[in-house]
Amino acid sequence: MTPSRSLAFKALVVAVVYAVLSQLSVYPAILGSINMEAIWLPSGFLFAVLMRTPKRHWALLMGCVVVAGMAVNWFQMRLVLPSFAFALTDPVEVLGGAWVATALLKGRPMDLSRTSDALILGLAGVLNGCVSGPFGLLAAHLGGLVLPGEFMGLVWGNSVLLSHLFIAPLILAWPTTGGKRSRVLAESILWMALSAAVTRWGLHHGAPDGVQGLLMFLPFPLLAAAAVRTGPWGASLALAAVSFTALLESSHGHGPLPMQSLTPDLVMVWMQLFLGTETVSIMILACAAEAQRRAEGSLLESESRYRNLVEQFPDAIILRDGSRIRYANPAAVSLFGAPASGLEGRSIRDFLERQESSSGELTRSGIHRYTAALRERVLKTVDGREVPVEVTDISIALPERRPLTLDVFRDLTKRRAVEDALRRSEQDFQRFFDMAPMPLVLAADDGRLLRVNPLAASLFEVGGVPLQTMRTQDY
């Protein structure tokens, strides 16, 4: 599939989903009661799609979305001018918020584990909401529509804000890791069902005069738990369930607000404001929890990589507190001839005489930086063997505790054996060279004499000049 076809397919899918969400936003149970859109779902969806799409493709997406919106509005209203006005203004509002958010993000993708990005999402929702209300009223006036209430501008603005707050994160915070995704999805669905059930029970049993207003706060602990456990995605799903349930119950007269003294549109505004405030607090908590979870995950991953490096290191590594051994890697266990449990807690003096640590410069990280000289010592293993080793120690200064020392031991047994073999070979060569029954001369490529045996020296030495100062061209 070529890129152009892929982009066209994506635009088609976005247009279809936008149309479906537009139809769902006028849910019959709410529309039949008070004839207003409580949450404009396409706004948050389109914003998330634009944030995940390069700017050069926005024009095609916007064109497809406008056509889809025109079709849905015509199906609902059967009026050309209002259908076109609403179909054009809704995407344009989202486009403006996406431009602002992209400029604030400075080209990087939106990451809701960052509190700053969550605030940018909220700012885009507020901007879109502030524009949506006046634009909606203007489109309705141009189309000659009769509004069901005098606060419809606020209702439309708040509906866009709510959509940004808990519909957009469902796309922007979609979990990508396989194991984590399964856990987050399953747990998020559980929190969503519990939150919706508790919300319906609280609002359905609320007094219509508003006396039992505290029942509105019943799902808050569940939402906080969902935010901490599942992050922005699970919190958004639970918030969506709570918001739809609360708005549906309020539209049918169930809830803590005094329905007799308030007009339906004003009831909807108060519910939207309460849900918006609740959503902001929960989303901030969810983003902070996700940031903390990622930081802990990065720390655990870093510790795991460091531990793997130490455990797979070919040289023996000992971490000690003073003279007491606190950790020994597998190479150290093998070199010392004792199990790890047999080394921990023992003094390094039992195996190696303690040497003075090298001096170093304390860096900002709290770790001494050394250029330590390598020292050769004899290590006494548990089974009584004496092993020549090369030792390097590094002192690590930790905050609010005594420094630790990291010792690195390198077994010199094989090196000593190779050095002894090389030394014997050189001695044998020198003996053969000196005792040869013929004159032997070892010269470099440029003619310099490197070595001569006694017979060559006595045979070629001229005028008392040592043969080693001559060149092959001199004789």
Side-chain angles (χ1 to χ4, degrees):
M1 180 179 293
T2 63
S4 58
R5 292 182 179 179
S6 175
L7 178 60
F9 179 75
K10 177 181 179 179
L12 178 61
V13 172
V14 169
V16 171
V17 175
Y18 184 89
V20 172
L21 293 177
S22 300
Q23 186 63 29
L24 290 177
S25 296
V26 287
Y27 185 61
I30 299 180
L31 185 64
S33 176
I34 54 178
N35 192 28
M36 61 185 67
E37 297 85 2
I39 302 175
W40 187 242
L41 302 178
S43 179
F45 166 74
L46 182 57
F47 176 82
V49 171
L50 292 179
M51 297 306 299
R52 289 288 184 262
T53 305
K55 282 186 176 181
R56 63 180 180 274
H57 299 157
W58 284 8
L60 177 61
L61 291 178
M62 294 298 293
C64 294
V65 165
V66 170
V67 173
M70 177 70 181
V72 172
N73 292 338
W74 170 257
F75 176 77
Q76 295 173 356
M77 294 183 290
R78 304 292 181 177
L79 299 173
V80 177
L81 186 57
S83 299
F84 178 75
F86 282 109
L88 182 62
T89 56
D90 291 340
V92 170
E93 300 158 4
V94 179
L95 181 63
W99 273 101
V100 173
T102 304
L104 294 176
L105 292 172
K106 298 180 180 179
R108 62 177 177 84
M110 178 171 284
D111 182 6
L112 291 185
S113 65
R114 298 169 176 259
T115 306
S116 59
D117 289 13
L119 294 177
I120 291 175
L121 172 63
L123 175 62
V126 172
L127 293 177
N128 289 357
C130 292
V131 175
S132 178
F135 273 30
L137 295 176
L138 178 61
H141 177 73
L142 292 177
L145 298 179
V146 178
L147 299 180
E150 58 180 331
F151 296 101
M152 282 305 300
L154 292 176
V155 172
W156 287 334
N158 291 334
S159 68
V160 170
L161 174 60
L162 290 177
S163 179
H164 275 69
L165 291 179
F166 59 76
I167 298 300
L170 294 177
I171 299 176
L172 297 175
W174 175 259
T176 56
T177 308
K180 177 183 176 181
R181 179 192 304 171
S182 301
R183 181 191 68 81
V184 170
L185 292 179
E187 196 168 344
S188 298
I189 293 175
L190 175 63
W191 290 115
M192 177 190 69
L194 290 175
S195 301
V198 171
T199 302
R200 186 185 185 283
W201 181 87
L203 293 179
H204 199 73
H205 291 77
D209 58 355
V211 175
Q212 299 181 8
L214 293 178
L215 294 177
M216 286 286 294
F217 295 93
L218 281 179
F220 195 84
L222 297 176
L223 294 175
V228 173
R229 292 284 303 171
T230 60
W233 197 88
S236 300
L237 195 63
L239 285 167
V242 169
S243 298
F244 279 113
T245 305
L247 293 172
L248 181 62
E249 292 295 328
S250 296
S251 66
H252 287 79
H254 302 292
L257 295 176
M259 296 292 292
Q260 294 85 351
S261 59
L262 299 177
T263 59
D265 56 338
L266 189 56
V267 170
M268 190 63 65
V269 169
W270 280 111
M271 287 296 299
Q272 288 174 327
L273 291 176
F274 176 83
L275 292 173
T277 304
E278 186 179 48
T279 300
V280 169
S281 58
I282 292 298
M283 287 304 298
I284 291 177
L285 176 62
C287 293
E290 182 68 16
Q292 179 69 20
R293 188 160 38 247
R294 291 193 182 185
E296 292 175 353
S298 299
L299 179 60
L300 291 176
E301 183 180 358
S302 176
E303 292 178 350
S304 177
R305 288 199 301 264
Y306 176 74
R307 177 174 289 273
N308 290 336
L309 173 64
V310 171
E311 291 183 348
Q312 297 177 14
F313 202 72
D315 293 337
I317 297 179
I318 294 291
L319 182 66
R320 55 186 173 87
D321 183 0
S323 62
R324 296 295 175 182
I325 298 175
R326 298 305 180 194
Y327 170 78
N329 71 339
V333 172
S334 176
L335 178 63
F336 282 67
S341 58
L343 289 178
E344 294 180 3
R346 295 187 61 176
S347 174
I348 193 65
R349 297 190 184 96
D350 297 341
F351 308 96
L352 187 68
E353 292 185 0
R354 183 174 182 270
Q355 302 294 325
E356 294 183 0
S357 300
S358 303
S359 60
E361 179 186 355
L362 188 64
T363 63
R364 292 183 180 180
S365 62
I367 299 179
H368 284 278
R369 190 184 303 275
Y370 290 89
T371 307
L374 300 178
R375 297 181 299 277
E376 295 187 2
R377 297 290 183 268
V378 176
L379 176 70
K380 296 180 180 180
T381 63
V382 174
D383 54 7
R385 293 181 296 111
E386 292 187 352
V387 181
V389 293
E390 191 176 63
V391 186
T392 304
D393 57 17
I394 302 174
S395 181
I396 304 175
L398 301 177
E400 299 182 359
R401 62 172 301 174
R402 58 187 299 178
L404 300 178
T405 303
L406 186 71
D407 295 324
V408 181
F409 297 82
R410 176 165 294 179
D411 190 353
L412 299 181
T413 303
K414 293 183 179 180
R415 184 194 298 181
R416 291 286 177 83
V418 172
E419 291 174 351
D420 292 342
L422 180 60
R423 189 180 302 108
R424 289 193 300 268
S425 176
E426 290 179 349
Q427 292 174 353
D428 293 341
F429 173 77
Q430 183 67 37
R431 190 179 302 111
F432 168 78
F433 192 84
D434 292 342
M435 299 178 62
M438 62 186 71
L440 295 179
V441 176
L442 185 63
D445 293 339
D446 58 357
R448 289 182 297 105
L449 300 184
L450 302 177
R451 178 180 293 180
V452 295
N453 66 350
L455 186 58
S458 62
L459 181 63
F460 295 108
E461 189 170 0
V462 179
V465 179
L467 193 63
Q468 290 83 349
T469 63
M470 302 175 61
R471 294 179 178 269
T472 57
Q473 296 87 346
D474 297 336
Y475 59 89

